[in-house]
Amino acid sequence: MGKATGFLEFPRQNEGYEPVVKRVKHYKEFVFALSDSEAKLQGARCMDCGIPFCNNGCPVNNIIPDFNDLVYRQDWKSAIEVLHQTNNFPEFTGRICPAPCEAACTLGINELPVGIKSLEHAIIDKAWEEGWVKPQLPRHKTGKTVAVVGSGPAGMAAAQQLARAGHDVTVFEKNDRIGGLLRYGIPDFKMEKSLIDRRMEQMQAEGVTFRAGVMVTDGELPAGIKNYARETISAQALMEQFDAVVLAGGSEVPRDLPVPGRDLAGIHFALEFLIPQNKEVAGDGANEIRAEGKNVIVIGGGDTGSDCVGTSNRHGATSVTQFELLPQPPEEENKPLVWPYWPIKLRTSSSHDEGCERDWSVATKEFIGENGKVTALKACRVEWKDGRMQEVEGSEFILPADLVLLAMGFTNPVGSMLEAFGVDTDARKNAKASTEGERAYHTNVPKVFAAGDVRRGQSLVVWAIREGRQAARSVDAFLMGHSDLPR
């Protein structure tokens, strides 16, 4: 490494945040990326550890020690070349990935780990500023055509890789803008959508065609997910018009909470709140679900719940409370027990810092209402014994609730799309496809592949990018007999 003793000399430097009082008044990003000099010192902290566990901790297997060293040497152009070898969209992961690579960092055993995510953020932002991110045109066209259904990170990664292999790629998206849940599920204050737009421009220059507002199914979307499609196309038509089809539609069926009072007005799935808000920020109409002046309760302690908290605070909610069914995790992980794997520990997001009461081991028993609208929530304490949940006797309590947002995750992809193609599903109703062997990502249907959340279930953006890239390699090999695309 460029600075063999850097980890002994320099502390971790975290990215800065705009003060809460200012950032809750807008929907723009509020994270201050590291300066060149700060990034240099952070890169210097990367140890000459011999076995870079960070590489395996990263789902796309970023070549982390190499770009850390290049940032230390201030060779930014080489750093982005290394980063792009494994990750098509580091501007996405550098902002919203939870950074499992840092959990696997060797320095993290007894010190704060290297700020790998912040370096990724700094590298790609520098690359865009300097004009180093350019279209990568194929050396020759194959004459083969591929349809990609879904324009989230898995679909975008697969489409870009296949276009660079010389195939003619068309991406179909049911919503009116490209990006999937990158566009509509993640608030702009975490990732501004101009980042998607400029990647689209690069991909269009590489030969990718985007068709938004087109739904590939004859069925209807489940409750809680609005359909913005302007037209439909059948699975049979895609099979007839294209040489291969990649299903990358994500996992969109939300987990419900069937307790008394669930049908009261004012109770919504998280995406019923987040999608219209992102559309409002984009200038596509007002969000009809408002949190201002209301007591908001968010049920679900994950990232989607955190996004609901941040959005509610920007609306001007009177109070925001977030419940989690599981026990409160420890503030610090047991590193000798879990390293280099992803640890269970208490994580506080920037949205929580903006104002939120958090509570754990809480189960909702009933929604209470007046005149058809929710006014309160009845809950109880629970305890876990031998993996089973038990109500704590006498622990019932009632909280005022004018708006309840259900953010308990997603159970499976939209079934109508899989049914339209005749794709077999696994026990969790995901598209059934292996990731190993010659038929990696290939479903039971000839020339139909599946990648991302539609195959593995709800997961991280970085996993979606990995699956999109790997599926693209399998599609390329299927079409051409071999593939030179990297995995």
Side-chain angles (χ1 to χ4, degrees), residues 306-422:
S306 173
D307 294 342
C308 290
V309 170
T311 303
S312 296
N313 280 322
R314 280 160 179 75
H315 276 202
T318 298
S319 69
V320 182
T321 303
Q322 185 177 24
F323 289 154
E324 171 58 60
L325 188 65
L326 297 173
Q328 180 175 345
E331 293 191 9
E332 294 292 335
E333 71 270 33
N334 186 339
K335 290 185 179 181
L337 179 65
V338 300
W339 180 88
Y341 301 107
W342 183 248
I344 296 176
K345 68 175 184 178
L346 180 63
R347 289 178 169 85
T348 300
S349 73
S350 58
S351 292
H352 294 140
D353 290 335
E354 293 164 2
C356 176
E357 292 292 329
R358 304 166 73 187
D359 206 348
W360 290 264
S361 296
V362 174
T364 302
K365 299 186 68 173
E366 180 183 355
F367 296 113
I368 302 169
E370 294 179 5
N371 301 320
K373 296 182 178 180
V374 66
T375 58
L377 175 150
K378 180 187 290 186
C380 68
R381 302 284 174 188
V382 297
E383 56 184 4
W384 294 82
K385 293 182 178 180
D386 300 324
R388 295 185 177 183
M389 183 184 74
Q390 298 179 354
E391 179 178 345
V392 177
E393 186 176 353
S395 65
E396 279 191 4
F397 61 95
I398 295 176
L399 280 181
D402 307 303
L403 175 63
V404 178
L405 301 171
L406 306 180
M408 302 176 296
F410 304 89
T411 59
N412 54 272
V414 176
S416 57
M417 179 183 70
L418 301 181
E419 292 169 4
F421 283 95

Side-chain angles (χ1 to χ4, degrees), residues 36-176:
D36 289 5
S37 59
E38 290 171 337
K40 174 183 173 72
L41 297 184
Q42 192 60 219
R45 298 184 70 235
C46 187
M47 305 169 66
D48 188 10
C49 60
I51 301 176
F53 290 91
C54 56
N55 285 16
N56 288 330
C58 172
V60 293
N61 302 123
N62 279 336
I63 312 169
I64 294 166
D66 290 34
F67 70 64
N68 284 348
D69 182 54
L70 289 166
V71 170
Y72 169 71
R73 298 177 186 278
Q74 297 290 278
D75 186 353
W76 293 92
K77 192 169 186 180
S78 295
I80 188 56
E81 290 173 356
V82 170
L83 184 51
H84 267 154
Q85 287 181 31
T86 54
N87 189 349
N88 295 65
F89 313 119
E91 61 269 48
F92 303 161
T93 52
R95 285 167 166 81
I96 60 176
C97 182
C101 55
E102 294 187 16
C105 175
T106 303
L107 182 57
I109 294 175
N110 62 341
E111 295 287 346
L112 293 176
V114 176
I116 301 168
K117 178 179 174 180
S118 63
L119 291 179
E120 186 175 8
H121 184 182
I123 292 168
I124 184 58
D125 281 10
K126 169 78 73 174
W128 280 108
E129 290 169 6
E130 297 294 334
W132 297 332
V133 184
K134 298 181 182 298
Q136 298 181 28
L137 303 180
R139 286 178 291 182
H140 64 274
K141 300 290 286 186
T142 66
K144 302 292 186 179
T145 58
V146 183
V148 177
V149 182
S151 67
M156 289 183 70
Q160 185 166 62
Q161 293 296 95
L162 288 165
R164 290 174 176 177
H167 307 305
D168 291 319
V169 182
T170 302
V171 177
F172 294 88
E173 169 59 51
K174 70 178 182 298
N175 290 303
D176 50 7

